[in-house]
Amino acid sequence: MITFDKVSKIYQRDWTALDDVSFHIDKGEFVFVCGPTGAGKTTILRLIYKYEEPTKGTIKVMGENLRLMKKKELPKLRRKIGVIFQDFKLLQDRTLEENVLFALEVTDTPPKNMKKKLMEILTYLRLSHKKYAFPYQLSGGEQQKVSIARALVRDPYILLADEPTGNLDSRSSQDILEILMDINYKGTTVIMATHNLNIVKKMKKRMLRIENGKLVRDK
Amino acid sequence: MALRIGIREGIRTITRNNSLFLLSLLVTSISLFLLSLFVLVTVNLYYAVKILDEKIEIIAFLDDHANVQRLMRNIRKINGVTDVIFVSSEQALKDLQNELKETEAVLNVFEKNPLPASLRIKLERSFRNRRGLTEISNKIMLLQGVKETIYGGELVDQLKKITNIISAFDIGLLIIIIFSVIFVIFQTIKLTIFARSTEIEIMRLVGASNSFIAIPFTFEGVVQGALGGIIAFILIAITTHITTSIISVVYFPKLYFFIGSIIFGAFFGIIGSSVAIRKFLK
Ligand SMILES: Nc1ncnc2c1ncn2[C@@H]1O[C@H](COP(=O)(O)OP(=O)(O)OP(=O)(O)O)[C@@H](O)[C@H]1O
Ligand SMILES: [Mg+2]
């Protein structure tokens, strides 16, 4: 599903964020990417949905070499990948409902299915009662859930979750983790970046440990 | 579907960012107004030239005993002549009196009508220049009963030269103004795009195609251009109304200007916004 082959990422001013990282993730896997702040976790996720380009190495996602991918193909790739952003990236002038709906509108979903999907996901995440609220009227945790709803509403092949429990108390974190497990159980490949080792240890899943841009452990 | 959403998004941009939109609309209206004003002046210029051009004619003064009917028939046969009008000496006197109302007394000095009868000869367009005038005039001079012909050959060529220069200048200026209008719309749409850049970024992250992102801005450009066109038309209508009361004739085909303003406004809007969004999405 996802292959990194000797990937390095050097940001401008010679800052090496990733250094010679190689790994392979199979379809249907659940993988944690962990490491301290600034280790390069977000960078790995960004490379997968082609928000950043690797300085060196090759990345393959769903059988496609991202470097060779045409510009026109990029939206199609992104529609197959759901991303829960570390900073949510919600549209501030739109309600919760509109923010989620938006992800469906950019694809070619028929309007009938849209409403149904929307209802389902909001019920699933227990957000229905706030669907007319704007992001600034929501708590940090609620906004995070909106971001999750937007990523899941399209049934992505790959779900990239960047610190999805960062703003949640331990109970809500547990809820979110269960949701991610559930999605993974239904067949979606899930990659979750976090620096919360407690969660990782409890889950007994594969873990890629990143430190200073290097992959130091994969088990 | 995408179009419907695109238009909804376009309306959202306009209504939410309404002060920016109003400002853009104002700037667009003013530049479209300048453009229509220029077109109006040009149209009037051509109109005036056309009237002058139609006035180009040969006048043949006749002998007292000339056979007018036969002369007219023969002149009509000359290649390039479209019409011949007979002006009797009485008519000529009357015309002169009309022109010189106050100086009527001067004419009373004469006991007998001193003006000869004449023929006014109208020409085809391609003959309304010095060569054509001379050629036809020479042929007329050969006919019996013609005393003299007059035509403003030198003047006609001078006039043609001036109008040629003016139209070249005019087209150059027209192109410059059109590009300025497009540039203005382009710049204002660019401002709207920058005001929404985080939003566009998010759209792209969730997989919106470029055309999906472009539709709302193109829509905004069209609305801005068409509304600007309507406002420009209102301004130009007011302007002509005022000018007409100062200088007597202004040629102003209202319907053409109205439709033209909207269509060209919308068209420039499409071009301006497309260029802006394309630059941004590159
Ligand atoms: N666009 C950028 N330009 C320059 N440097 C960057 C850029 N993005 C990230 N970096 C740097 O690359 C390194 C890795 O960043 P990254 O965001 O991947 O870390 P992270 O592991 O996600 O950290 P956190 O746990 O705080 O989210 C950091 O040192 C960061 O400063
Ligand atoms: Mg991060």
Side-chain angles (χ1 to χ4, degrees), chain B residues 82-116:
Chain B
T82 56
D83 198 13
V84 183
I85 301 160
F86 175 67
V87 182
S88 65
S89 63
E90 294 78 28
Q91 182 66 40
L93 184 65
K94 233 186 250 163
D95 289 347
L96 191 64
Q97 274 170 342
N98 274 340
E99 262 174 61
L100 310 171
K101 265 196 191 98
E102 293 98 49
T103 47
E104 212 171 335
V106 180
L107 296 170
N108 292 338
V109 171
F110 299 98
E111 275 177 14
K112 208 183 114 226
N113 181 358
L115 298 174

PDB file of all heavy atoms in Angstrom, chain B residues 82-116:
ATOM      1  N   THR B  82     -24.094  57.869 -58.376  1.00  0.00           N
ATOM      2  CA  THR B  82     -25.248  57.182 -57.819  1.00  0.00           C
ATOM      3  C   THR B  82     -26.535  57.985 -57.977  1.00  0.00           C
ATOM      4  O   THR B  82     -27.599  57.433 -58.123  1.00  0.00           O
ATOM      5  CB  THR B  82     -25.063  56.881 -56.316  1.00  0.00           C
ATOM      6  OG1 THR B  82     -24.792  58.114 -55.651  1.00  0.00           O
ATOM      7  CG2 THR B  82     -23.937  55.899 -56.086  1.00  0.00           C
ATOM      8  N   ASP B  83     -26.395  59.320 -57.930  1.00  0.00           N
ATOM      9  CA  ASP B  83     -27.612  60.121 -57.974  1.00  0.00           C
ATOM     10  C   ASP B  83     -27.297  61.520 -58.490  1.00  0.00           C
ATOM     11  O   ASP B  83     -26.194  62.025 -58.287  1.00  0.00           O
ATOM     12  CB  ASP B  83     -28.216  60.200 -56.558  1.00  0.00           C
ATOM     13  CG  ASP B  83     -29.678  60.619 -56.617  1.00  0.00           C
ATOM     14  OD1 ASP B  83     -30.251  60.602 -57.718  1.00  0.00           O
ATOM     15  OD2 ASP B  83     -30.232  60.945 -55.542  1.00  0.00           O
ATOM     16  N   VAL B  84     -28.253  62.112 -59.166  1.00  0.00           N
ATOM     17  CA  VAL B  84     -28.097  63.488 -59.642  1.00  0.00           C
ATOM     18  C   VAL B  84     -29.322  64.283 -59.207  1.00  0.00           C
ATOM     19  O   VAL B  84     -30.447  63.848 -59.416  1.00  0.00           O
ATOM     20  CB  VAL B  84     -27.964  63.535 -61.173  1.00  0.00           C
ATOM     21  CG1 VAL B  84     -27.719  64.968 -61.639  1.00  0.00           C
ATOM     22  CG2 VAL B  84     -26.831  62.638 -61.639  1.00  0.00           C
ATOM     23  N   ILE B  85     -29.069  65.408 -58.568  1.00  0.00           N
ATOM     24  CA  ILE B  85     -30.194  66.229 -58.098  1.00  0.00           C
ATOM     25  C   ILE B  85     -30.115  67.589 -58.776  1.00  0.00           C
ATOM     26  O   ILE B  85     -29.053  68.210 -58.825  1.00  0.00           O
ATOM     27  CB  ILE B  85     -30.128  66.413 -56.575  1.00  0.00           C
ATOM     28  CG1 ILE B  85     -30.163  65.036 -55.895  1.00  0.00           C
ATOM     29  CG2 ILE B  85     -31.270  67.282 -56.070  1.00  0.00           C
ATOM     30  CD1 ILE B  85     -29.624  65.068 -54.479  1.00  0.00           C
ATOM     31  N   PHE B  86     -31.274  68.023 -59.270  1.00  0.00           N
ATOM     32  CA  PHE B  86     -31.319  69.323 -59.945  1.00  0.00           C
ATOM     33  C   PHE B  86     -31.679  70.414 -58.954  1.00  0.00           C
ATOM     34  O   PHE B  86     -32.618  70.275 -58.177  1.00  0.00           O
ATOM     35  CB  PHE B  86     -32.353  69.264 -61.079  1.00  0.00           C
ATOM     36  CG  PHE B  86     -32.562  70.575 -61.744  1.00  0.00           C
ATOM     37  CD1 PHE B  86     -31.537  71.161 -62.503  1.00  0.00           C
ATOM     38  CD2 PHE B  86     -33.772  71.263 -61.618  1.00  0.00           C
ATOM     39  CE1 PHE B  86     -31.722  72.390 -63.129  1.00  0.00           C
ATOM     40  CE2 PHE B  86     -33.951  72.487 -62.230  1.00  0.00           C
ATOM     41  CZ  PHE B  86     -32.921  73.054 -62.990  1.00  0.00           C
ATOM     42  N   VAL B  87     -30.865  71.469 -58.978  1.00  0.00           N
ATOM     43  CA  VAL B  87     -31.171  72.616 -58.137  1.00  0.00           C
ATOM     44  C   VAL B  87     -31.370  73.810 -59.065  1.00  0.00           C
ATOM     45  O   VAL B  87     -30.424  74.264 -59.708  1.00  0.00           O
ATOM     46  CB  VAL B  87     -30.023  72.907 -57.148  1.00  0.00           C
ATOM     47  CG1 VAL B  87     -30.381  74.081 -56.239  1.00  0.00           C
ATOM     48  CG2 VAL B  87     -29.703  71.669 -56.319  1.00  0.00           C
ATOM     49  N   SER B  88     -32.616  74.300 -59.118  1.00  0.00           N
ATOM     50  CA  SER B  88     -32.887  75.430 -60.014  1.00  0.00           C
ATOM     51  C   SER B  88     -32.296  76.700 -59.433  1.00  0.00           C
ATOM     52  O   SER B  88     -31.922  76.741 -58.265  1.00  0.00           O
ATOM     53  CB  SER B  88     -34.401  75.590 -60.172  1.00  0.00           C
ATOM     54  OG  SER B  88     -34.949  75.947 -58.916  1.00  0.00           O
ATOM     55  N   SER B  89     -32.204  77.724 -60.237  1.00  0.00           N
ATOM     56  CA  SER B  89     -31.590  78.952 -59.726  1.00  0.00           C
ATOM     57  C   SER B  89     -32.453  79.563 -58.627  1.00  0.00           C
ATOM     58  O   SER B  89     -31.936  80.124 -57.670  1.00  0.00           O
ATOM     59  CB  SER B  89     -31.348  79.937 -60.871  1.00  0.00           C
ATOM     60  OG  SER B  89     -32.586  80.315 -61.447  1.00  0.00           O
ATOM     61  N   GLU B  90     -33.796  79.384 -58.729  1.00  0.00           N
ATOM     62  CA  GLU B  90     -34.684  79.904 -57.675  1.00  0.00           C
ATOM     63  C   GLU B  90     -34.420  79.188 -56.357  1.00  0.00           C
ATOM     64  O   GLU B  90     -34.342  79.793 -55.295  1.00  0.00           O
ATOM     65  CB  GLU B  90     -36.168  79.726 -58.052  1.00  0.00           C
ATOM     66  CG  GLU B  90     -36.651  80.534 -59.239  1.00  0.00           C
ATOM     67  CD  GLU B  90     -36.232  79.928 -60.572  1.00  0.00           C
ATOM     68  OE1 GLU B  90     -36.064  78.670 -60.624  1.00  0.00           O
ATOM     69  OE2 GLU B  90     -36.032  80.671 -61.552  1.00  0.00           O
ATOM     70  N   GLN B  91     -34.298  77.860 -56.495  1.00  0.00           N
ATOM     71  CA  GLN B  91     -34.041  77.049 -55.308  1.00  0.00           C
ATOM     72  C   GLN B  91     -32.725  77.467 -54.664  1.00  0.00           C
ATOM     73  O   GLN B  91     -32.625  77.593 -53.446  1.00  0.00           O
ATOM     74  CB  GLN B  91     -34.010  75.570 -55.707  1.00  0.00           C
ATOM     75  CG  GLN B  91     -33.801  74.613 -54.537  1.00  0.00           C
ATOM     76  CD  GLN B  91     -34.990  74.644 -53.586  1.00  0.00           C
ATOM     77  OE1 GLN B  91     -36.149  74.712 -54.002  1.00  0.00           O
ATOM     78  NE2 GLN B  91     -34.704  74.660 -52.295  1.00  0.00           N
ATOM     79  N   ALA B  92     -31.712  77.665 -55.502  1.00  0.00           N
ATOM     80  CA  ALA B  92     -30.392  78.051 -55.001  1.00  0.00           C
ATOM     81  C   ALA B  92     -30.479  79.357 -54.228  1.00  0.00           C
ATOM     82  O   ALA B  92     -29.880  79.505 -53.167  1.00  0.00           O
ATOM     83  CB  ALA B  92     -29.412  78.180 -56.163  1.00  0.00           C
ATOM     84  N   LEU B  93     -31.265  80.278 -54.749  1.00  0.00           N
ATOM     85  CA  LEU B  93     -31.420  81.578 -54.096  1.00  0.00           C
ATOM     86  C   LEU B  93     -32.094  81.416 -52.736  1.00  0.00           C
ATOM     87  O   LEU B  93     -31.666  81.969 -51.727  1.00  0.00           O
ATOM     88  CB  LEU B  93     -32.243  82.512 -54.972  1.00  0.00           C
ATOM     89  CG  LEU B  93     -32.391  83.940 -54.424  1.00  0.00           C
ATOM     90  CD1 LEU B  93     -31.037  84.636 -54.388  1.00  0.00           C
ATOM     91  CD2 LEU B  93     -33.387  84.741 -55.243  1.00  0.00           C
ATOM     92  N   LYS B  94     -33.136  80.562 -52.760  1.00  0.00           N
ATOM     93  CA  LYS B  94     -33.871  80.320 -51.515  1.00  0.00           C
ATOM     94  C   LYS B  94     -32.935  79.730 -50.446  1.00  0.00           C
ATOM     95  O   LYS B  94     -32.938  80.139 -49.294  1.00  0.00           O
ATOM     96  CB  LYS B  94     -35.043  79.371 -51.786  1.00  0.00           C
ATOM     97  CG  LYS B  94     -36.377  79.938 -51.291  1.00  0.00           C
ATOM     98  CD  LYS B  94     -37.478  78.911 -51.457  1.00  0.00           C
ATOM     99  CE  LYS B  94     -38.450  79.313 -52.544  1.00  0.00           C
ATOM    100  NZ  LYS B  94     -39.275  78.169 -53.010  1.00  0.00           N
ATOM    101  N   ASP B  95     -32.144  78.725 -50.887  1.00  0.00           N
ATOM    102  CA  ASP B  95     -31.204  78.093 -49.957  1.00  0.00           C
ATOM    103  C   ASP B  95     -30.243  79.111 -49.371  1.00  0.00           C
ATOM    104  O   ASP B  95     -29.958  79.106 -48.179  1.00  0.00           O
ATOM    105  CB  ASP B  95     -30.393  76.994 -50.663  1.00  0.00           C
ATOM    106  CG  ASP B  95     -31.253  75.778 -50.976  1.00  0.00           C
ATOM    107  OD1 ASP B  95     -32.379  75.710 -50.428  1.00  0.00           O
ATOM    108  OD2 ASP B  95     -30.790  74.911 -51.749  1.00  0.00           O
ATOM    109  N   LEU B  96     -29.763  79.958 -50.229  1.00  0.00           N
ATOM    110  CA  LEU B  96     -28.807  80.974 -49.796  1.00  0.00           C
ATOM    111  C   LEU B  96     -29.460  81.925 -48.808  1.00  0.00           C
ATOM    112  O   LEU B  96     -28.874  82.262 -47.778  1.00  0.00           O
ATOM    113  CB  LEU B  96     -28.273  81.739 -51.023  1.00  0.00           C
ATOM    114  CG  LEU B  96     -27.077  82.655 -50.740  1.00  0.00           C
ATOM    115  CD1 LEU B  96     -25.882  81.817 -50.288  1.00  0.00           C
ATOM    116  CD2 LEU B  96     -26.696  83.451 -51.988  1.00  0.00           C
ATOM    117  N   GLN B  97     -30.689  82.291 -49.129  1.00  0.00           N
ATOM    118  CA  GLN B  97     -31.404  83.196 -48.221  1.00  0.00           C
ATOM    119  C   GLN B  97     -31.585  82.557 -46.848  1.00  0.00           C
ATOM    120  O   GLN B  97     -31.446  83.212 -45.824  1.00  0.00           O
ATOM    121  CB  GLN B  97     -32.771  83.562 -48.813  1.00  0.00           C
ATOM    122  CG  GLN B  97     -32.668  84.738 -49.761  1.00  0.00           C
ATOM    123  CD  GLN B  97     -33.956  84.962 -50.538  1.00  0.00           C
ATOM    124  OE1 GLN B  97     -34.794  84.071 -50.613  1.00  0.00           O
ATOM    125  NE2 GLN B  97     -34.105  86.124 -51.117  1.00  0.00           N
ATOM    126  N   ASN B  98     -31.898  81.260 -46.881  1.00  0.00           N
ATOM    127  CA  ASN B  98     -32.037  80.552 -45.602  1.00  0.00           C
ATOM    128  C   ASN B  98     -30.758  80.580 -44.795  1.00  0.00           C
ATOM    129  O   ASN B  98     -30.764  80.718 -43.582  1.00  0.00           O
ATOM    130  CB  ASN B  98     -32.429  79.090 -45.836  1.00  0.00           C
ATOM    131  CG  ASN B  98     -33.940  78.963 -45.972  1.00  0.00           C
ATOM    132  OD1 ASN B  98     -34.665  79.849 -45.547  1.00  0.00           O
ATOM    133  ND2 ASN B  98     -34.385  77.876 -46.576  1.00  0.00           N
ATOM    134  N   GLU B  99     -29.643  80.396 -45.516  1.00  0.00           N
ATOM    135  CA  GLU B  99     -28.370  80.359 -44.833  1.00  0.00           C
ATOM    136  C   GLU B  99     -27.958  81.724 -44.294  1.00  0.00           C
ATOM    137  O   GLU B  99     -27.310  81.836 -43.275  1.00  0.00           O
ATOM    138  CB  GLU B  99     -27.281  79.819 -45.770  1.00  0.00           C
ATOM    139  CG  GLU B  99     -27.011  78.334 -45.543  1.00  0.00           C
ATOM    140  CD  GLU B  99     -26.052  77.780 -46.563  1.00  0.00           C
ATOM    141  OE1 GLU B  99     -24.914  78.288 -46.597  1.00  0.00           O
ATOM    142  OE2 GLU B  99     -26.437  76.859 -47.318  1.00  0.00           O
ATOM    143  N   LEU B 100     -28.319  82.742 -45.015  1.00  0.00           N
ATOM    144  CA  LEU B 100     -27.887  84.100 -44.646  1.00  0.00           C
ATOM    145  C   LEU B 100     -29.058  84.965 -44.215  1.00  0.00           C
ATOM    146  O   LEU B 100     -29.309  86.011 -44.790  1.00  0.00           O
ATOM    147  CB  LEU B 100     -27.195  84.782 -45.833  1.00  0.00           C
ATOM    148  CG  LEU B 100     -26.091  84.029 -46.563  1.00  0.00           C
ATOM    149  CD1 LEU B 100     -25.703  84.780 -47.835  1.00  0.00           C
ATOM    150  CD2 LEU B 100     -24.863  83.870 -45.672  1.00  0.00           C
ATOM    151  N   LYS B 101     -29.802  84.513 -43.272  1.00  0.00           N
ATOM    152  CA  LYS B 101     -31.031  85.201 -42.887  1.00  0.00           C
ATOM    153  C   LYS B 101     -30.846  86.687 -42.619  1.00  0.00           C
ATOM    154  O   LYS B 101     -31.578  87.541 -43.119  1.00  0.00           O
ATOM    155  CB  LYS B 101     -31.644  84.535 -41.659  1.00  0.00           C
ATOM    156  CG  LYS B 101     -32.697  83.520 -42.087  1.00  0.00           C
ATOM    157  CD  LYS B 101     -33.584  83.116 -40.938  1.00  0.00           C
ATOM    158  CE  LYS B 101     -34.427  81.925 -41.341  1.00  0.00           C
ATOM    159  NZ  LYS B 101     -33.903  80.638 -40.895  1.00  0.00           N
ATOM    160  N   GLU B 102     -29.834  86.987 -41.832  1.00  0.00           N
ATOM    161  CA  GLU B 102     -29.681  88.389 -41.401  1.00  0.00           C
ATOM    162  C   GLU B 102     -29.241  89.315 -42.530  1.00  0.00           C
ATOM    163  O   GLU B 102     -29.529  90.497 -42.535  1.00  0.00           O
ATOM    164  CB  GLU B 102     -28.659  88.500 -40.249  1.00  0.00           C
ATOM    165  CG  GLU B 102     -29.104  87.860 -38.956  1.00  0.00           C
ATOM    166  CD  GLU B 102     -28.512  86.472 -38.781  1.00  0.00           C
ATOM    167  OE1 GLU B 102     -27.301  86.341 -38.960  1.00  0.00           O
ATOM    168  OE2 GLU B 102     -29.249  85.524 -38.495  1.00  0.00           O
ATOM    169  N   THR B 103     -28.512  88.679 -43.458  1.00  0.00           N
ATOM    170  CA  THR B 103     -27.951  89.539 -44.519  1.00  0.00           C
ATOM    171  C   THR B 103     -28.820  89.554 -45.757  1.00  0.00           C
ATOM    172  O   THR B 103     -28.360  89.784 -46.868  1.00  0.00           O
ATOM    173  CB  THR B 103     -26.526  89.067 -44.889  1.00  0.00           C
ATOM    174  OG1 THR B 103     -26.588  87.645 -45.063  1.00  0.00           O
ATOM    175  CG2 THR B 103     -25.530  89.412 -43.830  1.00  0.00           C
ATOM    176  N   GLU B 104     -30.090  89.320 -45.561  1.00  0.00           N
ATOM    177  CA  GLU B 104     -31.047  89.286 -46.661  1.00  0.00           C
ATOM    178  C   GLU B 104     -30.912  90.523 -47.566  1.00  0.00           C
ATOM    179  O   GLU B 104     -30.977  90.445 -48.780  1.00  0.00           O
ATOM    180  CB  GLU B 104     -32.456  89.233 -46.099  1.00  0.00           C
ATOM    181  CG  GLU B 104     -33.419  88.472 -46.970  1.00  0.00           C
ATOM    182  CD  GLU B 104     -34.728  88.265 -46.248  1.00  0.00           C
ATOM    183  OE1 GLU B 104     -34.732  88.267 -45.000  1.00  0.00           O
ATOM    184  OE2 GLU B 104     -35.729  88.120 -46.924  1.00  0.00           O
ATOM    185  N   ALA B 105     -30.679  91.623 -46.916  1.00  0.00           N
ATOM    186  CA  ALA B 105     -30.573  92.897 -47.630  1.00  0.00           C
ATOM    187  C   ALA B 105     -29.543  92.849 -48.752  1.00  0.00           C
ATOM    188  O   ALA B 105     -29.756  93.412 -49.833  1.00  0.00           O
ATOM    189  CB  ALA B 105     -30.222  94.006 -46.645  1.00  0.00           C
ATOM    190  N   VAL B 106     -28.455  92.157 -48.509  1.00  0.00           N
ATOM    191  CA  VAL B 106     -27.387  92.074 -49.488  1.00  0.00           C
ATOM    192  C   VAL B 106     -27.912  91.565 -50.822  1.00  0.00           C
ATOM    193  O   VAL B 106     -27.576  92.059 -51.883  1.00  0.00           O
ATOM    194  CB  VAL B 106     -26.264  91.133 -48.990  1.00  0.00           C
ATOM    195  CG1 VAL B 106     -25.151  91.038 -50.020  1.00  0.00           C
ATOM    196  CG2 VAL B 106     -25.737  91.626 -47.657  1.00  0.00           C
ATOM    197  N   LEU B 107     -28.783  90.532 -50.715  1.00  0.00           N
ATOM    198  CA  LEU B 107     -29.281  89.912 -51.938  1.00  0.00           C
ATOM    199  C   LEU B 107     -30.252  90.805 -52.697  1.00  0.00           C
ATOM    200  O   LEU B 107     -30.387  90.699 -53.902  1.00  0.00           O
ATOM    201  CB  LEU B 107     -29.954  88.584 -51.600  1.00  0.00           C
ATOM    202  CG  LEU B 107     -28.999  87.545 -51.020  1.00  0.00           C
ATOM    203  CD1 LEU B 107     -29.788  86.357 -50.500  1.00  0.00           C
ATOM    204  CD2 LEU B 107     -27.967  87.104 -52.050  1.00  0.00           C
ATOM    205  N   ASN B 108     -30.885  91.639 -51.949  1.00  0.00           N
ATOM    206  CA  ASN B 108     -31.851  92.527 -52.585  1.00  0.00           C
ATOM    207  C   ASN B 108     -31.199  93.539 -53.523  1.00  0.00           C
ATOM    208  O   ASN B 108     -31.872  94.170 -54.325  1.00  0.00           O
ATOM    209  CB  ASN B 108     -32.668  93.261 -51.532  1.00  0.00           C
ATOM    210  CG  ASN B 108     -33.562  92.276 -50.793  1.00  0.00           C
ATOM    211  OD1 ASN B 108     -33.849  91.205 -51.321  1.00  0.00           O
ATOM    212  ND2 ASN B 108     -33.970  92.641 -49.595  1.00  0.00           N
ATOM    213  N   VAL B 109     -29.880  93.640 -53.390  1.00  0.00           N
ATOM    214  CA  VAL B 109     -29.140  94.538 -54.254  1.00  0.00           C
ATOM    215  C   VAL B 109     -29.301  94.142 -55.717  1.00  0.00           C
ATOM    216  O   VAL B 109     -29.428  94.960 -56.612  1.00  0.00           O
ATOM    217  CB  VAL B 109     -27.644  94.549 -53.850  1.00  0.00           C
ATOM    218  CG1 VAL B 109     -26.817  95.315 -54.865  1.00  0.00           C
ATOM    219  CG2 VAL B 109     -27.488  95.119 -52.453  1.00  0.00           C
ATOM    220  N   PHE B 110     -29.332  92.798 -55.929  1.00  0.00           N
ATOM    221  CA  PHE B 110     -29.451  92.320 -57.300  1.00  0.00           C
ATOM    222  C   PHE B 110     -30.877  92.442 -57.793  1.00  0.00           C
ATOM    223  O   PHE B 110     -31.818  92.092 -57.090  1.00  0.00           O
ATOM    224  CB  PHE B 110     -29.009  90.855 -57.377  1.00  0.00           C
ATOM    225  CG  PHE B 110     -27.576  90.656 -56.967  1.00  0.00           C
ATOM    226  CD1 PHE B 110     -27.266  90.226 -55.675  1.00  0.00           C
ATOM    227  CD2 PHE B 110     -26.539  90.916 -57.866  1.00  0.00           C
ATOM    228  CE1 PHE B 110     -25.949  90.042 -55.306  1.00  0.00           C
ATOM    229  CE2 PHE B 110     -25.223  90.736 -57.483  1.00  0.00           C
ATOM    230  CZ  PHE B 110     -24.918  90.296 -56.198  1.00  0.00           C
ATOM    231  N   GLU B 111     -31.024  92.877 -59.011  1.00  0.00           N
ATOM    232  CA  GLU B 111     -32.369  92.952 -59.584  1.00  0.00           C
ATOM    233  C   GLU B 111     -32.825  91.590 -60.083  1.00  0.00           C
ATOM    234  O   GLU B 111     -33.963  91.175 -59.911  1.00  0.00           O
ATOM    235  CB  GLU B 111     -32.379  93.934 -60.749  1.00  0.00           C
ATOM    236  CG  GLU B 111     -32.571  95.343 -60.277  1.00  0.00           C
ATOM    237  CD  GLU B 111     -32.514  96.318 -61.434  1.00  0.00           C
ATOM    238  OE1 GLU B 111     -32.599  95.860 -62.606  1.00  0.00           O
ATOM    239  OE2 GLU B 111     -32.370  97.510 -61.163  1.00  0.00           O
ATOM    240  N   LYS B 112     -31.860  90.911 -60.705  1.00  0.00           N
ATOM    241  CA  LYS B 112     -32.169  89.602 -61.255  1.00  0.00           C
ATOM    242  C   LYS B 112     -31.440  88.549 -60.412  1.00  0.00           C
ATOM    243  O   LYS B 112     -30.403  88.823 -59.805  1.00  0.00           O
ATOM    244  CB  LYS B 112     -31.657  89.573 -62.705  1.00  0.00           C
ATOM    245  CG  LYS B 112     -32.429  88.647 -63.596  1.00  0.00           C
ATOM    246  CD  LYS B 112     -31.808  88.634 -65.011  1.00  0.00           C
ATOM    247  CE  LYS B 112     -31.238  87.295 -65.316  1.00  0.00           C
ATOM    248  NZ  LYS B 112     -29.948  87.293 -65.878  1.00  0.00           N
ATOM    249  N   ASN B 113     -31.984  87.335 -60.339  1.00  0.00           N
ATOM    250  CA  ASN B 113     -31.330  86.242 -59.617  1.00  0.00           C
ATOM    251  C   ASN B 113     -29.974  85.949 -60.252  1.00  0.00           C
ATOM    252  O   ASN B 113     -29.903  85.549 -61.409  1.00  0.00           O
ATOM    253  CB  ASN B 113     -32.237  85.003 -59.693  1.00  0.00           C
ATOM    254  CG  ASN B 113     -31.632  83.827 -58.945  1.00  0.00           C
ATOM    255  OD1 ASN B 113     -30.535  83.937 -58.407  1.00  0.00           O
ATOM    256  ND2 ASN B 113     -32.363  82.726 -58.929  1.00  0.00           N
ATOM    257  N   PRO B 114     -28.879  86.176 -59.520  1.00  0.00           N
ATOM    258  CA  PRO B 114     -27.542  85.995 -60.118  1.00  0.00           C
ATOM    259  C   PRO B 114     -27.062  84.547 -60.060  1.00  0.00           C
ATOM    260  O   PRO B 114     -26.016  84.225 -60.593  1.00  0.00           O
ATOM    261  CB  PRO B 114     -26.669  86.865 -59.219  1.00  0.00           C
ATOM    262  CG  PRO B 114     -27.327  86.758 -57.873  1.00  0.00           C
ATOM    263  CD  PRO B 114     -28.803  86.543 -58.105  1.00  0.00           C
ATOM    264  N   LEU B 115     -27.783  83.662 -59.424  1.00  0.00           N
ATOM    265  CA  LEU B 115     -27.287  82.295 -59.233  1.00  0.00           C
ATOM    266  C   LEU B 115     -27.686  81.405 -60.398  1.00  0.00           C
ATOM    267  O   LEU B 115     -28.819  81.412 -60.826  1.00  0.00           O
ATOM    268  CB  LEU B 115     -27.840  81.707 -57.935  1.00  0.00           C
ATOM    269  CG  LEU B 115     -27.440  82.450 -56.661  1.00  0.00           C
ATOM    270  CD1 LEU B 115     -28.173  81.861 -55.467  1.00  0.00           C
ATOM    271  CD2 LEU B 115     -25.937  82.403 -56.453  1.00  0.00           C
ATOM    272  N   PRO B 116     -26.723  80.595 -60.901  1.00  0.00           N
ATOM    273  CA  PRO B 116     -27.045  79.685 -61.987  1.00  0.00           C
ATOM    274  C   PRO B 116     -27.725  78.423 -61.445  1.00  0.00           C
ATOM    275  O   PRO B 116     -27.584  78.102 -60.277  1.00  0.00           O
ATOM    276  CB  PRO B 116     -25.677  79.338 -62.571  1.00  0.00           C
ATOM    277  CG  PRO B 116     -24.735  79.460 -61.421  1.00  0.00           C
ATOM    278  CD  PRO B 116     -25.311  80.492 -60.482  1.00  0.00           C
TER     279      PRO B 116
END
